[in-house]
Amino acid sequence: MARPVCVFRAGQVCSMAPAVNAITGYHIILNARSGNRDVDGKCAVIRDVLGSAGSRYRLHIVKDARKLRETAIRVVNEARQDGGAVVIAGGDGSINTVAQAVLGSGCVFGVLPQGTFNYFGRTHGIPEDLAEAARALLRAEVRPVQVGLLNNRIFLVNASLGLYPKLLEDREFYKRQLGRSRLVALWSALVTLWRSHRILRVRMDGEDGGRDLVTQTVFVGNNALQLEQVGIPLASQLDNGRLAVVTLKPVGPMAMLGLMLRGAFGKLDAADSVVSFAARELTVKPKFVLSAWTKVATDGEIFWLRAPLRFKVASEPLLLLKPPA
């Protein structure tokens, strides 16, 4: 029997995850709508790499994004029965959906990044090139990865309310019109930030007490790379069972564009209108609103949740197939 790998997480006892050579094969879910749409080409690359290595695998192609969740649940059940790893080939939103099904199942999780920004994969050293990512999968090690929770929804990169979900919503609109690229995402952000935005009045309660806040957005980060790129110096806190909380005081369009430039140069935290801190748990209650439902976003996916909104670190990690350092 293969020796299990003992993994530790802050504030948690040791959990036992299977060694990579104990994995019987790979159940690969491919989101046909992530990245470029050359599904046949992607399948050919995966077959070539895994077939050449003599690895067992099964491809599950999802052409309708609405069926990704039910496919993930079914594939996780199959993987539990045969000892295989569950792998998602898709962007951060697809990764989130499949990880939601994997978390707590005992299955090992793998990623073949195919999105626009690929923050999750890049943070963990997983190549963006599909062939390289598939080869990295074969030599990966099982490592625990911190998972954030917003009520009953997980997030691996970030969760937010206010301006940030609006940015994502507009970005998807422009991508449908102009194509999926980082340049289109940048143009969309410029257009969105130039407009006026609704001000949030919220009550925030954490381990350090409560505060009433007037802000344009509440952003909770769980991804070191994204935080480092914009200049929020809280990335090291993510290894200690904490989340990075960023809020933005109300500012005008010109000041907003200035903040975007600061973020582009990795100096966002130096701005007076940006407030950031680390927290293990955080409860956000919108004030003076007629409805208890609030528009939120997790890892690029937008939906509505009933307040109060509770952010925290999940009690167990995701067991990720991660390339050796």
Side-chain angles (χ1 to χ4, degrees):
M1 177 179 293
R3 181 174 60 86
V5 178
C6 184
V7 292
F8 288 87
R9 180 173 174 273
Q12 186 180 31
V13 297
C14 175
S15 61
M16 305 305 290
V20 174
N21 58 3
I23 295 172
T24 60
Y26 304 93
H27 290 267
I28 302 172
I29 303 171
L30 194 154
N31 184 354
R33 300 188 63 81
S34 292
N36 70 70
R37 308 295 175 84
D38 182 13
V39 177
D40 292 338
K42 292 177 182 179
C43 291
V45 170
I46 293 171
R47 292 190 183 104
D48 180 59
V49 174
L50 299 186
S52 298
S55 298
R56 294 178 57 190
Y57 66 91
R58 183 178 176 187
L59 280 167
H60 308 261
I61 300 173
V62 179
K63 296 181 179 180
D64 185 347
R66 294 171 297 182
K67 296 183 178 180
L68 181 60
R69 181 177 179 274
E70 64 181 73
T71 300
I73 294 171
R74 174 175 55 81
V75 171
V76 166
N77 288 331
E78 293 177 6
R80 291 179 67 180
Q81 293 174 12
D82 65 18
V86 178
V87 181
I88 171 63
D92 287 327
S94 301
I95 292 170
N96 177 293
T97 300
V98 178
Q100 182 97 30
V102 172
L103 186 68
S105 69
C107 292
V108 173
F109 184 59
V111 169
L112 301 173
Q114 292 293 292
T116 303
F117 291 100
N118 298 318
Y119 278 120
F120 183 78
R122 289 160 60 204
T123 291
H124 298 290
I126 302 172
E128 293 184 87
D129 178 79
L130 182 57
E132 292 181 13
R135 284 190 285 269
L137 196 66
L138 297 172
R139 55 185 175 82
E141 302 170 347
V142 180
R143 291 289 180 264
V145 172
Q146 175 174 295
V147 175
L149 285 178
L150 169 52
N151 291 5
N152 63 337
R153 301 271 189 145
I154 76 166
F155 60 97
L156 303 174
V157 180
N158 60 59
S160 59
L161 64 149
L163 175 59
Y164 196 75
K166 179 61 176 172
L167 281 166
L168 298 175
E169 199 169 43
D170 289 351
R171 187 178 77 188
E172 287 306 306
F173 171 79
Y174 281 102
K175 281 183 177 180
R176 286 193 296 268
Q177 304 297 318
L178 303 173
R180 308 184 72 86
S181 72
R182 295 182 186 181
L183 185 60
V184 171
L186 175 61
W187 167 253
S188 169
L190 288 169
V191 173
T192 304
L193 294 177
W194 185 252
R195 300 169 181 163
S196 60
H197 300 285
R198 176 186 171 195
I199 304 301
L200 296 177
R201 290 173 172 81
V202 298
R203 172 72 179 180
M204 300 177 65
D205 295 303
E207 62 258 41
D208 297 328
R211 67 184 81 178
D212 292 317
L213 199 66
V214 178
T215 181
Q216 287 186 290
T217 195
V218 177
F219 176 95
V220 181
N222 187 39
N223 183 274
L225 175 63
Q226 188 178 46
L227 294 171
E228 289 168 352
Q229 282 190 340
V230 298
I232 301 295
L234 293 174
S236 62
Q237 297 289 328
L238 302 183
D239 294 329
N240 299 320
R242 292 177 177 269
L243 299 166
V245 183
V246 183
T247 65
L248 175 64
K249 298 176 183 177
V251 297
M254 288 300 296
M256 188 69 74
L257 293 179
L259 289 173
M260 185 177 178
L261 287 173
R262 282 181 177 272
F265 287 98
K267 298 183 180 298
L268 190 61
D269 198 58
D272 293 336
S273 55
V274 174
V275 177
S276 62
F277 57 94
R280 295 187 186 279
E281 294 188 17
L282 182 72
T283 299
V284 178
K285 301 176 183 178
K287 302 175 66 177
F288 313 120
V289 294
L290 297 178
S291 172
W293 293 92
T294 303
K295 184 185 290 186
V296 299
T298 58
D299 296 349
E301 300 299 313
I302 301 167
F303 50 92
W304 293 81
L305 281 183
R306 181 180 285 275
L309 304 175
R310 296 184 175 90
F311 301 84
K312 65 178 182 179
V313 174
S315 59
E316 58 183 304
L318 197 62
L319 302 175
L320 178 67
L321 284 170
K322 184 173 178 178

